[in-house]
Amino acid sequence: MPALIPKSWLRRRIEDGLRRGFQHAYETVKVDPSRFLLQLRAAYGLPIQTFRGVFSVELSTLDDIALRVIRSSMKVAAAEGAGLGLGGIVTIIPDLGILSGITLRTIQKLSLLYGFEFNTEEESAELWIAAASAAGVDISRELLEKEVVNRFVPRVIQRIAAKASAEVVEKWAGRLIPLTSSIIGAGLNYYFVRSWGQRAQAHFRQRHLEARHQIAVQIEEQAAPEPRSLTP
């Protein structure tokens, strides 16, 4: 019977599903920066021509848009969880794959919103550091410096999956109950994306503040008058 399935087995299934989901998302799912830039300008009214322009936008405005991005993803995740939740334990793996893609796209959008693109391998690795932060995993940047990206990212994904599976296995056990699995699936996906989105936002917001401070210092240095020579 489903109720007798060991939780350790469920955790392994969840960890494996998250690992595969994030790995697949890493290889195939990517927000188009140019299209998202147009969305920021058209739908949210940001007066920017490039993502660097967000550093001149009021921080409260960026925070408000970030919340709207997260809420939109939460709704999509809930709808997906309600649909696949009807299958109970059978659809956990495909559900986690789609949920991983939704979560990663949310993190990508937050990264762009706060002014951080992911065009280079190093920028992509930084994105996974943010994903790890959202999962509650502390990844030292020293590890990134010591490893090439194609070895760094799979190791980070594995640590994210292990941490996330331990965090949610008790809640996901409700998916074993067929009659309520759809409602539970919707709720779990909703709050999963919310918690990860909020933690990712906090990560990028802090980086944004640091970058904004550096930009302000550079502007002050450039505006400072040249010291006059005291020699005749």
Side-chain angles (χ1 to χ4, degrees):
M1 294 178 64
L4 299 179
I5 296 176
K7 291 180 180 178
S8 59
W9 177 89
L10 179 62
R11 176 175 173 179
R12 289 196 300 271
R13 292 275 290 179
I14 290 175
E15 181 175 337
D16 185 60
L18 286 168
R19 180 183 58 79
R20 292 185 183 185
F22 278 116
Q23 184 66 44
H24 180 72
Y26 168 60
E27 296 169 352
T28 62
V29 178
K30 186 175 180 180
V31 172
D32 184 342
S34 60
R35 291 186 61 181
F36 188 62
L37 180 61
L38 289 175
Q39 181 182 354
L40 290 176
R41 293 166 58 185
Y44 298 109
L46 284 188
I48 58 175
Q49 300 300 317
T50 67
F51 287 108
R52 186 172 177 81
V54 300
F55 292 101
S56 61
V57 175
E58 287 288 338
L59 186 58
S60 59
T61 300
L62 299 181
D63 292 342
D64 179 65
I65 295 174
L67 292 177
R68 293 165 69 181
V69 168
I70 294 170
R71 287 170 183 161
S72 176
S73 297
M74 288 162 57
K75 293 177 182 178
V76 173
E80 180 271 325
L84 287 182
L86 291 170
I89 190 67
V90 177
T91 54
I92 277 186
I93 297 303
D95 183 18
L96 286 172
I98 298 173
L99 181 61
S100 298
I102 294 171
T103 304
L104 184 58
R105 284 181 62 85
T106 303
I107 294 173
Q108 290 174 339
K109 289 178 180 179
L110 293 172
S111 177
L112 293 170
L113 173 62
Y114 283 101
F116 304 105
E117 299 183 66
F118 35 85
N119 297 320
T120 67
E121 287 191 343
E122 184 175 354
E123 289 172 343
S124 295
E126 285 285 347
L127 186 71
W128 282 101
I129 291 177
S133 177
V137 178
D138 182 23
I139 300 294
S140 171
R141 280 180 171 76
E142 294 180 359
L143 180 62
L144 171 57
E145 295 173 358
K146 294 177 181 178
E147 293 200 41
V148 295
V149 172
N150 62 356
R151 289 203 305 266
F152 172 80
V153 172
R155 288 184 60 182
V156 174
I157 290 176
Q158 181 61 52
R159 293 183 63 178
I160 290 173
K163 175 68 173 180
S165 64
E167 182 180 327
V168 304
V169 66
E170 292 291 339
K171 298 176 182 178
W172 279 79
R175 284 285 299 270
L176 301 175
I177 308 171
L179 295 179
T180 61
S181 61
S182 177
I183 298 174
I184 293 173
L188 289 174
N189 283 16
Y190 183 90
Y191 289 108
F192 184 93
V193 172
R194 185 181 73 169
S195 62
W196 280 53
Q198 289 175 342
R199 286 180 288 201
Q201 180 197 2
H203 175 91
F204 289 121
R205 191 179 192 275
Q206 181 59 39
R207 285 190 62 201
H208 178 91
L209 286 171
E210 294 169 358
R212 185 174 284 217
H213 175 70
Q214 292 177 355
I215 292 172
V217 170
Q218 291 173 358
I219 292 174
E220 288 181 3
E221 291 176 348
Q222 293 172 0
E226 293 290 335
R228 294 183 179 180
S229 175
L230 298 179
T231 59

